[in-house]
Amino acid sequence: MAREYSLDKTRNIGFAAHIDAGKTTTTERVLYYTGRVHRIGEVDEGAATMDWMAQEQERGITITAAATTCLWRDHRINIIDTPGHVDFTVEVERCLRVLDGVVALFCAVAGVQPQSETVWRQANRYGVPRIAYVNKMDRVGADFHRVLHAMRERLGCRAVAVQLPLGQESDFRGVVDLIRMKAYVWVDETGREYREEPVPESMMNLVRRFREALVDAAAETDEELMQKYISGEEFTEEDIRKGLRRGTLRYNMVPVLCGASYRNKGVQPLLDAVVDYLPSPLDVPPVQGRHPVTGEAVTRRPDDEEPLSALAFKVAADRNVGQLVYVRIYSGTLKRGMTVYNSTKGVSQRAGRLLRMHANRREQLQAAYAGDIVAVVGMDKAATGDTLCEESAPIILETIEFPEPVISVAVEAQNRAEEDKLVEALRALADEDPTFRSYTDPDSGQIIISGMGELHLDILVERLRREFGVHPRVGRPQVAYRETIREPATAEGSYIRQTGGRGQYAKVTLRVSPRESGTSVVFVDETKGGVIPREFMPAVEAGVREGCASGPLGGFPVTDVEVAVVDGSAHEVDSSEMAFKIAASEALRECLLRGKPVLLEPIMKLEIVCSEDRMGEVLGDLNSRRAHVTGINASPGGMQTITALVPLANAFGYATALRNLTQGRGDYTMEPSHYAEVPEEASPPEVKGSSAVRAA
């Protein structure tokens, strides 16, 4: 079976934005205008194609990233619609890792919102070119120019308008194309038909000014265009598009379009921009990896004849076919029934079926090629971030890093018959979601599940009930505290036993030093002269890392420390790995106690939008929650935007509290910001009475 579309006519893109900016609504119009669906499904009605989960349809939000494929201007566009809620940011993270381009959506009223910034930083990290689409131009308070300014100020990008809105709010009827110098007005309710008109005379001065800025930006990307610009020659439409494409691919600029997707206006030009400005797999650098044995750098070009290399970026459980593994193929050809080597885990598996996904509907494939995004059935040992390749040409691609959970709850089965089902269901959910954890507390025997927020855990518990038929009892939310130290400390640990035969002997001296926030645990070997034989050093590190899993204050994980092995001694007969592991663990615990341990709590970034007459109540409530207000700004429609930092422990149930304070008119978003020291009076009960606190 031959490739249907050449690589230069392939686009792998995602829609990403803050919650409620209109990603799924826009994707629905894209599918309709490209002929992929024959009826527009609305999010508010629970009928959107890409929001196929029952919870998505009921809540009107996207929870899981969904993939689809459509055709436009003889190009194949593979699309991933991502969630906007911060609790599901893992879905955005892993999709951006494999996408070639992104359409970033912004609400014309709210502008650049907190999750907009988060998504932008993620795209920066993976080097993904972007175009921007300012949606909801028909809403009261819509302001295209304010959003442009906010993009430049808050995102630090060169936002270049390629369109201007024709009217705004209730008068919005189309766009002015600054490249063609024409106006486009949509004339029917479905948005299929639009007519070309001259630019209104009343807008001509503004249009000329923005057109000049557009030509300036295009000219700066190419020497030939710059010479043409300096000599005063008129730029053709092709010149401008060439310059914009080059600038976009080099991350020098972001073309900005506008529209009102819900009113079916502006989507077709957005599709044209995807084809014109976003990269094909040939436009991005060849994927880099390393050889799993030698560690040497390995490069794979996007070519069907190259050895296979693919990255598993998403795992999903499907009732009908079992586990689906979504993969992005960077090079080579993946055929149905082919044996594939998982170089991350060192195992081979047969790729059963290959599927092209359309949300939760499937299309069977015989083969998939470089640049394709497909789902594979039968790869039950693959996890998110694993590399799939040929065993004869192994490679390990850069994996995906995920944030640690910040909130936990205890769950227990209703009866003994459900216990095994609960454990199996939690394992299946953990395979799908790398930010979800479950473990059994060794002290209480309870099963603890951890996630990114209250909504995240609420959705997971609901999935346990609906998809797995398990109805667990759920405890109160718990904060994922961390522990660290204030001062450097040194201590020795030893493990010496003599029982008549061969004994146990190990001595380890550690120095533990505080590090800057967010640096986790760093292990360093500073020993000299072989005082600890090299073969025992992995055991020392294992003892350190196991010890860091449970700190001295409340048994919370230790973070932001450097642990250096500075001395030790061994016995040529009695020393063993177990002895060094125990000695290192003892030395670490003593260091942590001497280093003035402190408790850290997750601090959340909170953005609240409320009416001015309710600001007093909202600010008073924030004060009672130990919040630090960082800013208050006026928003359109007589509303105020309050930004604050609040401890997660004091933010539980905030949705209900804000609803009561604002009579249902307030709205908020919350995302993890950083960890900070917990004041003594706010420490949880299990920490206040600990011997480590009294010693400190």
Side-chain angles (χ1 to χ4, degrees), residues 463-664:
R463 289 189 63 191
L464 286 174
R465 297 185 178 118
R466 295 191 184 202
E467 297 177 28
F468 298 94
V470 181
H471 298 77
R473 289 189 285 267
V474 182
R476 291 174 58 84
Q478 302 168 348
V479 177
Y481 290 104
R482 298 283 186 268
E483 298 182 28
T484 191
I485 58 173
R486 289 196 191 101
E487 298 178 357
T490 302
E492 181 188 274
S494 63
Y495 185 70
I496 304 173
R497 298 288 186 274
Q498 194 66 45
T499 56
R502 179 178 174 178
Q504 298 286 348
Y505 182 93
K507 285 188 177 181
V508 177
T509 302
L510 299 178
R511 184 186 68 247
V512 182
S513 310
R515 286 174 60 88
E516 62 184 30
S517 179
T519 52
S520 193
V521 177
V522 176
F523 179 81
V524 181
D525 177 10
E526 293 184 1
T527 58
K528 297 177 181 178
V531 291
I532 298 177
R534 177 169 292 186
E535 63 265 26
F536 294 129
M537 198 55 72
V540 174
E541 182 174 359
V544 166
R545 295 203 178 276
E546 282 189 18
C548 285
S550 180
L553 292 177
F556 301 108
V558 176
T559 188
D560 302 336
V561 294
E562 178 181 279
V563 183
V565 190
V566 295
D567 201 2
S569 64
H571 190 279
E572 59 185 25
V573 175
D574 291 346
S575 289
S576 67
E577 290 185 354
M578 183 189 76
F580 273 100
K581 187 175 179 180
I582 295 172
S585 184
E586 284 191 4
L588 176 75
R589 186 162 186 83
E590 187 61 31
C591 281
L592 294 174
L593 287 169
R594 294 179 184 179
K596 295 191 176 180
V598 293
L599 192 68
L600 303 176
E601 63 181 342
I603 303 296
M604 311 300 285
K605 181 181 178 183
L606 191 63
E607 183 169 293
I608 307 154
V609 178
C610 66
S611 57
E612 192 167 355
D613 62 321
R614 292 288 167 179
M615 269 187 60
E617 290 91 336
V618 172
L619 291 171
D621 179 71
L622 288 175
N623 188 51
S624 71
R625 295 175 184 267
R626 294 196 290 129
H628 170 62
V629 176
T630 58
I632 301 175
N633 297 295
S635 294
M639 306 294 278
Q640 296 287 326
T641 298
I642 304 168
T643 54
L645 296 173
V646 59
L648 176 62
N650 297 82
F652 294 138
Y654 191 68
T656 302
L658 183 65
R659 195 178 303 121
N660 293 334
L661 289 168
T662 62
Q663 297 180 331

Side-chain angles (χ1 to χ4, degrees), residues 203-466:
M203 288 185 66
M204 193 55 77
N205 288 337
L206 182 69
V207 168
R208 286 199 184 103
R209 185 155 51 87
F210 272 85
R211 159 84 176 194
E212 187 176 330
L214 178 63
V215 171
D216 286 350
E220 291 175 12
T221 64
D222 184 86
E223 277 190 32
E224 185 181 328
L225 291 178
M226 180 56 76
Q227 288 298 327
K228 194 171 184 178
Y229 179 76
I230 293 171
S231 63
E233 291 182 50
E234 188 69 27
F235 272 39
T236 65
E237 295 176 17
E238 193 56 40
D239 288 336
I240 298 175
R241 291 195 182 97
K242 176 185 174 183
L244 287 178
R245 180 176 181 80
R246 190 182 293 263
T248 303
L249 299 187
R250 291 177 177 173
Y251 320 114
N252 292 337
M253 66 180 70
V254 179
V256 184
L257 300 90
C258 61
S261 296
Y262 185 71
R263 301 297 177 192
N264 307 318
K265 297 172 182 177
V267 177
Q268 293 96 329
L270 176 62
L271 279 165
D272 288 335
V274 167
V275 170
D276 290 337
Y277 308 128
L278 290 181
S280 75
L282 295 174
D283 295 315
V284 297
V287 69
Q288 301 285 332
R290 59 180 175 84
H291 194 284
V293 178
T294 66
E296 293 178 358
V298 182
T299 301
R300 291 278 191 271
R301 295 179 299 107
D303 189 328
D304 301 343
E305 303 303 318
E306 284 262 306
L308 174 69
S309 65
L311 185 72
F313 68 93
K314 178 179 169 69
V315 175
D318 189 289
R319 289 183 181 179
N320 300 312
V321 299
Q323 182 170 288
L324 287 176
V325 179
Y326 288 76
V327 301
R328 160 69 193 266
I329 301 175
Y330 286 98
S331 65
T333 303
L334 178 60
K335 297 179 181 177
R336 179 175 178 173
M338 178 178 172
T339 299
V340 178
Y341 182 60
N342 184 330
S343 58
T344 307
K345 292 192 168 62
V347 297
S348 294
Q349 281 193 284
R350 182 174 172 272
R353 285 188 281 165
L354 301 180
L355 306 172
R356 179 171 286 130
M357 301 300 295
H358 178 51
N360 63 332
R361 295 193 283 279
R362 303 172 291 274
E363 175 189 339
Q364 300 272 359
L365 299 174
Q366 294 301 314
Y369 304 92
D372 283 350
I373 294 176
V374 296
V376 186
V377 179
M379 308 287 291
D380 58 337
K381 293 180 181 177
T384 299
D386 285 0
T387 300
L388 308 178
C389 58
E390 296 175 21
E391 192 166 4
S392 59
I395 183 175
I396 293 184
L397 303 174
E398 180 188 355
T399 189
I400 311 168
E401 293 190 6
F402 302 107
E404 289 295 314
V406 296
I407 183 173
S408 303
V409 296
V411 295
E412 61 179 33
Q414 293 277 7
N415 50 58
R416 189 171 294 276
E418 270 198 358
E419 285 181 3
D420 290 342
K421 285 178 65 178
L422 175 60
V423 172
E424 286 299 315
L426 291 175
R427 186 177 296 119
L429 290 176
D431 287 342
E432 285 189 32
D433 187 346
T435 59
F436 171 66
R437 306 273 196 280
S438 70
Y439 64 94
T440 302
D441 187 287
D443 298 323
S444 66
Q446 288 181 306
I447 295 176
I448 307 296
I449 61 174
S450 305
M452 298 306 296
E454 288 184 272
L455 179 61
H456 187 200
L457 293 182
D458 187 29
I459 294 290
L460 290 169
V461 170
E462 188 64 27
R463 289 189 63 191
L464 286 174
R465 297 185 178 118
R466 295 191 184 202

Side-chain angles (χ1 to χ4, degrees), residues 126-173:
Y126 292 115
V128 184
R130 278 142 280 179
I131 61 175
Y133 177 67
V134 180
N135 191 25
K136 303 190 177 184
M137 286 303 307
D138 59 316
R139 293 271 300 274
V140 174
D143 190 331
F144 178 77
H145 302 284
R146 187 180 67 242
V147 178
L148 266 182
H149 179 72
M151 288 179 65
R152 293 164 184 156
E153 290 291 313
R154 296 180 62 176
L155 304 179
C157 68
R158 185 176 185 180
V160 179
V162 295
Q163 293 177 347
L164 291 179
L166 195 59
Q168 62 186 42
E169 299 185 347
S170 59
D171 293 329
F172 178 73
R173 60 189 189 278

